Amino acid sequence: MRTSSLSLSAIPPSPTSTDYSTSLANLAAQILYRSPLPSSQSDLPVFVLNAAAFPDAKETDYDALLPYVLARLPDEDELITGQGYEIVFFAGAKGNAATASKKGRPGWGWFLQAYHLLTRLTRKRLQKLYIVHEKNWIRLLVGMFSTVVSPKFNKKVVHVSTLSSLALMTPIEDLLIPPSAYLTDRRLSSDIYAPYMSGKRAFAVGQALPISSTGDVRLPRVLRETTSFLVTDPLIKTQGLFRINARAVEVEILKEAYDRAQKFIVWRDGDTYQASPHSKLGSGLAWVDELENTEGFGVHTAAGLIKQWYKDLRNPIFPPESYAALEKFYGDSDKPFEVSQMLEMLSQEAAWSVLSTTSRQVLTLHLLPMLSRIAEYQDWNQMTAYNLALCFAPTMICGPDQIQDYKISGIVRRLLEAMISHWKDDLAPAFDIDNRKFEDSLRLPESAEDREDPLEESHRAQSSSDAQSSGILLLDNDDDSGEEIEPRPPLPPRPRQLSNSLEDSITARRKPAPPLQTPPHYSTLAGSSGSMSADQYLNNVPLEEDLEDDNDMEELPDLPAYHMASTQQTMSPPPTSPPPLIPRKPLPKSDTFA
């Protein structure tokens, strides 16, 4: 609803005033907020305007909300000393447009009032306005501002269709992008590409555990942030952890974000929220302000992303080469696993193990401590060691034969269940790993270079390079290697279709025939006396098929009158007497037309 007051103010009430509204201030913080980092190209502060955070106009007084929104823009003192600011406007709807309820938005007059309430310096210092996921009403509103309010306003507006297009103009990895903008972009584009940033850092990399600055292995950023958020109280008591599936589209979005080194990813579930800071050279750590009012991803999305990381391992925890040993030594379901067997399998000093060195490090540094910690709260989350092993066993095997994977998954499930049950009392002391060391591995690293994972060569570029090398081989004309290149065999001659009849050969060399004339009736060819039949006549007159060339037609002066007339394309009356017999010309030999 809207009030009928015509006097609006750009300054909200003081926080100590009784007129100050905390709910409107929180709404304004969700609608317009400042990105933690300035633009790396222009070094200007960037503000994010999120249209998905606009409340329903039928339930909110937009005239009362307007001062709280305008107060979040840079003040006069900052604008006088600075060069300006930029705004990134995400105009898409909230969540899934097919299921989201349609909300009443403020009228055009509200936007006009908001523009007029801005000071002249605030309007002048605006350098760029990026409009992403533009709607029709936004396009009409911008056109009205350009023609009615200020013609110079249109020069500052940049229309962008997707986040990939925005990445070509400004580095999106520095922005604090709300989840609603990611979901809107996913309906328009299948992925997000950022130049010089998109690649592989966290998922399906060759080295699962990166090397820290001290030379030891460490957890990747995606496992560090998701696990620290998941084991936080009270989120660790959430029922169905790892059993309730996360939204697949959110998991894919976050996979791209971590592989793109998105600096700010907010995790929020209820009143629990978390976001890692980013260290900028010369300015210390950049934190996300007002996390309590920022959109974020939930706890089930974090659990689904952890499972996806294990599923996408280039070398699975239990490779296909270990299947035979697993069936031989651990295939008996009636025989329980001994602690010595599990220690030998997980120990780095063991002479032989069915697991690789990386698999043993991943299990002892992350998976087993995390699952054992969650199993301690099974009275709340209902996730026992059996349930956790049942959720993670399929993610730890990936062989070429699905039937064989299914058979081995039972052994892996029993083995993982035994490791989770014996981890805290029997296995963890042997590896000198307790809850305190596990929590230390989840904290933000002290070294700035350890806070982000290194970029691996793009898998797509590597695949295209392999395809090119295995396809056409291009040789350099100026090759001075001295190696003699083996000549390729010549191509076979193209098959030539030869005519099997003399008629086909003659027809191929003939000129177009003249228009067909109506021949005389055969009944007129015979006279009353000395007549001959039509068969006798046809046997003595040469046919066109018997002539080798058109010139042979001119060498026949004694043709009957009606035949000469047909050659000259004129009709003559039928002959009154039978024509003289003309001996038939013999057929030419076949080798002449070969």
Side-chain angles (χ1 to χ4, degrees):
M1 60 182 179
R2 297 188 58 184
T3 62
S4 58
S5 176
L6 298 177
S7 60
L8 296 177
S9 175
I11 302 176
S14 174
T16 58
S17 174
T18 56
D19 297 333
Y20 185 81
S21 176
T22 305
S23 59
L24 293 179
N26 294 336
L27 281 177
Q30 298 176 13
I31 294 173
L32 182 64
Y33 58 88
R34 186 169 185 165
S35 189
L37 289 178
S39 175
S40 59
Q41 294 181 346
S42 59
D43 201 23
L44 297 176
V46 180
F47 290 83
V48 177
L49 181 60
N50 186 15
F54 279 115
D56 193 349
K58 301 176 183 179
E59 302 175 356
T60 306
D61 185 2
Y62 268 83
D63 289 346
L65 176 64
L66 182 58
Y68 294 91
V69 176
L70 297 182
R72 304 190 62 81
L73 292 173
D75 54 12
E76 295 287 337
D77 297 336
E78 184 179 0
L79 293 176
I80 292 175
T81 57
Q83 298 179 353
Y85 63 99
E86 297 178 355
I87 295 180
V88 179
F89 180 23
F90 294 107
K94 183 177 182 180
N96 191 352
T99 59
S101 59
K102 187 176 181 180
K103 300 184 299 184
R105 61 173 180 265
W108 291 7
W110 185 82
F111 291 97
L112 290 175
Q113 289 177 348
Y115 184 81
H116 285 295
L117 286 177
L118 295 176
T119 61
R120 181 179 180 276
L121 188 59
T122 305
R123 288 179 287 184
K124 185 177 180 180
R125 288 295 188 179
L126 176 61
Q127 303 299 323
K128 289 289 184 182
L129 174 59
Y130 299 96
I131 301 180
V132 191
H133 310 143
E134 192 175 34
K135 299 291 184 179
N136 292 332
W137 69 275
I138 297 293
R139 191 177 295 272
L140 293 175
L141 183 63
V142 172
M144 182 182 63
F145 268 76
S146 303
T147 56
V148 178
V149 180
S150 174
K152 298 180 181 179
F153 180 77
N154 194 29
K155 298 180 181 179
K156 302 179 180 181
V157 178
V158 180
H159 302 275
V160 182
S161 59
T162 60
L163 290 176
S164 298
S165 302
L166 181 63
L168 301 177
M169 304 176 184
T170 184
I172 63 173
E173 62 273 6
D174 297 340
L175 297 176
L176 179 56
I177 303 176
S180 57
Y182 283 121
L183 296 175
T184 302
D185 190 81
R186 187 61 55 169
R187 297 197 303 266
L188 303 175
S189 177
S190 59
D191 57 357
I192 301 174
Y193 175 75
Y196 307 107
M197 296 302 295
S198 294
K200 287 188 177 298
R201 286 181 171 86
F203 292 85
V205 293
Q207 188 171 0
L209 298 179
I211 304 298
S212 64
S213 57
T214 59
D216 301 327
V217 294
R218 61 173 179 85
L219 295 181
R221 178 193 170 193
V222 56
L223 293 185
R224 187 179 69 242
E225 294 184 358
T226 53
T227 306
S228 60
F229 176 68
L230 188 142
V231 298
T232 305
D233 193 17
L235 298 183
I236 196 173
K237 300 178 181 179
T238 305
Q239 291 189 5
L241 282 178
F242 297 109
R243 181 177 58 84
I244 299 177
N245 294 328
R247 293 183 61 183
V249 60
E250 292 185 357
V251 174
E252 291 297 326
I253 288 172
L254 290 172
K255 281 182 57 178
E256 288 186 357
Y258 278 104
D259 281 337
R260 190 175 58 247
Q262 193 74 28
K263 294 181 175 59
F264 303 102
I265 299 176
V266 178
W267 297 96
R268 180 177 180 178
D269 197 296
D271 296 332
T272 305
Y273 36 82
Q274 171 186 305
S276 297
H278 174 72
S279 58
K280 187 178 180 182
L281 184 63
S283 60
L285 294 177
W287 296 84
V288 179
D289 298 331
E290 300 175 322
L291 271 176
E292 65 276 5
N293 298 319
T294 307
E295 291 186 40
F297 298 94
V299 61
H300 292 295
T301 304
L305 198 63
I306 295 175
K307 291 173 59 178
Q308 191 67 36
W309 186 87
Y310 280 93
K311 184 178 180 181
D312 291 347
L313 283 175
R314 189 174 300 180
N315 298 316
I317 300 296
F318 291 91
E321 295 79 11
S322 64
Y323 289 178
L326 288 173
E327 290 180 340
K328 180 179 179 181
F329 297 104
Y330 311 104
D332 190 1
S333 59
D334 298 331
K335 184 178 180 181
F337 295 103
E338 299 180 0
V339 177
S340 58
Q341 290 179 316
M342 293 182 286
L343 286 175
E344 184 180 3
M345 182 183 298
L346 297 174
S347 176
Q348 299 289 342
E349 289 79 15
W352 178 87
S353 176
V354 296
L355 301 176
S356 63
T357 302
T358 303
S359 299
R360 285 175 277 180
Q361 291 174 344
V362 171
L363 289 175
T364 55
L365 294 180
H366 178 259
L367 185 62
L368 293 179
M370 179 190 66
L371 297 183
S372 175
R373 183 83 170 268
I374 295 174
E376 295 177 4
Y377 295 85
Q378 59 183 343
D379 295 337
W380 291 272
N381 54 36
Q382 307 299 321
M383 296 303 295
T384 61
Y386 174 82
N387 293 335
L388 292 172
L390 191 65
C391 293
F392 270 89
T395 66
M396 305 176 70
I397 53 178
C398 184
D401 189 356
Q402 296 182 359
I403 299 179
Q404 189 68 17
D405 289 348
Y406 177 76
K407 296 179 181 179
I408 295 297
S409 63
I411 303 176
V412 173
R413 180 196 57 76
R414 293 190 297 107
L415 183 60
L416 186 58
E417 179 185 0
M419 289 181 177
I420 296 173
S421 302
H422 292 276
W423 173 257
K424 184 178 180 179
D425 298 331
D426 301 325
L427 300 179
F431 299 105
D432 194 18
I433 299 176
D434 53 8
N435 287 335
R436 184 184 59 83
K437 289 187 176 181
F438 176 63
E439 292 176 356
D440 291 341
S441 64
L442 301 179
R443 291 191 176 96
L444 185 69
E446 297 181 359
S447 177
E449 61 184 59
D450 294 339
R451 295 169 187 169
E452 190 57 71
D453 301 329
L455 176 64
E456 192 179 51
E457 185 180 358
S458 176
H459 180 68
R460 181 181 301 178
Q462 184 178 0
S463 300
S464 62
S465 176
D466 295 342
Q468 177 67 21
S469 62
S470 61
I472 300 176
L473 180 61
L474 301 179
L475 300 178
D476 192 359
N477 294 332
D478 299 331
D479 188 7
D480 298 332
S481 60
E483 298 181 0
E484 184 177 356
I485 301 176
E486 182 181 358
R488 301 292 190 271
L491 294 175
R494 182 176 296 179
R496 183 177 180 182
Q497 184 177 2
L498 300 177
S499 58
N500 297 326
S501 61
L502 181 63
E503 181 179 359
D504 295 338
S505 300
I506 298 176
T507 306
R509 294 185 296 174
R510 286 189 58 190
K511 297 180 180 179
L516 183 63
Q517 303 294 337
T518 304
H521 296 283
Y522 289 125
S523 59
T524 61
L525 297 178
S528 57
S529 60
S531 62
M532 63 177 179
S533 64
D535 295 337
Q536 293 177 344
Y537 182 80
L538 291 176
N539 291 332
N540 288 275
V541 178
L543 302 177
E544 293 183 359
E545 291 83 353
D546 300 336
L547 301 179
E548 180 180 1
D549 192 46
D550 293 343
N551 296 330
D552 295 342
M553 189 74 71
E554 302 176 358
E555 298 177 0
L556 300 175
D558 298 333
L559 288 177
Y562 81 91
H563 196 94
M564 290 291 294
S566 63
T567 305
Q568 300 175 2
Q569 301 182 5
T570 57
M571 295 298 296
S572 301
T576 57
S577 60
L581 296 177
I582 301 175
R584 185 174 181 178
K585 187 177 179 180
L587 294 175
K589 297 181 179 180
S590 60
D591 56 356
T592 307
F593 300 93

